[in-house]
Amino acid sequence: RKRSRTTKSRKDRPARKQWMLRGGSPLLRRGVTRTMATSERRPPCPPFTLEDAVKKVRAAEDGWNGRDPAKVKMAYTADTQWRNRAEIFEGRDKVEDFLTRKWDRELDYRLIKEYWCHSDDKIAVRFAYEYRDDSGNWYCAYGNEMWTFDDQGLMKVRHASINDKRIDHADRKFHWPLGRRPDDHPSLSDLGL
């Protein structure tokens, strides 16, 4: 027995993007669809203008100064690739584990990032952060990061090279209350770093 079907032309069907559960590729099999969640989009998205890149750098700084690993990891793709000092790993869960360990041992953490250069989907930054260890020794870490983003504005690759320098408490330059750096606080360039 044949069923009668009403067929709609493609333009009459509701528009929706179909994605595979892994990799964001168009779905080839019937029946398994997912609409991309807005939480997976982190504007500004590539291609970046200078203004976009500077906003992205400040957003990353603000996130890291918040020191919430579960929140920070959401700025990265599910399969993000990281190289941080001697550690190389992949995936959001590994990012969360890494940041949890980091902020458990780097106390009173305060970070400043500064835009260096960019291309369509890449941004380079330099940064410095101050922290103390559980023995009360203060350090300033200096470094450079290279970031690559996907079309949704999520970071898919992060390479960081970092050097630590022991400093005296009196030599600290980052004195704002823990959390977001105030807008009127000097930048790295202003501080001569």
Side-chain angles (χ1 to χ4, degrees):
R1 171 177 171 192
K2 291 188 178 181
R3 292 184 193 183
S4 104
R5 285 192 219 179
T6 57
T7 57
K8 292 182 179 179
S9 71
R10 209 170 258 251
K11 66 180 180 179
D12 294 332
R13 292 181 195 154
R16 77 177 170 186
K17 288 187 175 181
Q18 294 184 337
W19 301 86
M20 288 182 72
L21 297 178
R22 241 181 318 132
S25 302
L27 184 66
L28 300 177
R29 296 187 307 262
R30 280 179 29 185
V32 181
T33 64
R34 122 183 136 154
T35 304
M36 187 184 336
T38 55
S39 64
E40 291 290 302
R41 188 167 162 77
R42 287 287 177 120
C45 301
F48 296 124
T49 64
L50 173 59
E51 182 181 354
D52 292 339
V54 170
K55 282 181 187 175
K56 208 70 164 168
V57 171
R58 182 59 195 240
E61 176 187 314
D62 291 348
W64 282 56
N65 276 328
R67 296 182 334 273
D68 181 345
K71 186 176 177 184
V72 171
K73 78 174 185 178
M74 298 311 294
Y76 302 90
T77 60
D79 61 348
T80 188
Q81 298 175 7
W82 277 38
R83 178 183 299 266
N84 193 91
R85 299 180 190 249
E87 291 189 62
I88 300 170
F89 53 91
E90 184 176 317
R92 278 185 183 152
D93 291 338
K94 299 282 183 161
V95 169
E96 184 174 7
D97 293 344
F98 168 82
L99 293 174
T100 299
R101 286 191 326 271
K102 173 184 178 62
W103 292 324
D104 281 348
R105 71 177 179 269
E106 294 178 357
L107 309 173
D108 292 324
Y109 177 94
R110 290 170 180 83
L111 165 73
I112 300 177
K113 291 184 184 283
E114 191 168 275
Y115 166 88
W116 195 350
C117 63
H118 78 281
S119 64
D120 286 348
D121 66 343
K122 293 176 176 49
I123 299 175
V125 301
R126 63 190 202 95
F127 63 88
Y129 64 88
E130 293 179 349
Y131 68 95
R132 66 175 176 81
D133 62 21
D134 60 1
S135 298
N137 300 308
W138 281 93
Y139 298 87
C140 188
Y142 302 92
N144 304 308
E145 290 177 282
M146 308 303 190
W147 303 338
T148 304
F149 293 86
D150 72 2
D151 293 341
Q152 301 304 310
L154 296 169
M155 195 182 301
K156 62 183 181 179
V157 178
R158 176 183 176 268
H159 287 192
S161 296
I162 307 166
N163 298 300
D164 293 295
K165 178 182 176 186
R166 182 119 179 241
I167 59 173
D168 291 329
H169 185 272
D171 294 331
R172 292 181 53 228
K173 298 179 186 289
F174 304 168
H175 297 284
W176 68 88
L178 289 177
R180 186 179 193 277
R181 175 175 55 102
D183 290 333
D184 61 350
H185 189 280
S187 68
L188 293 180
S189 293
D190 294 336
L191 292 168
L193 298 175

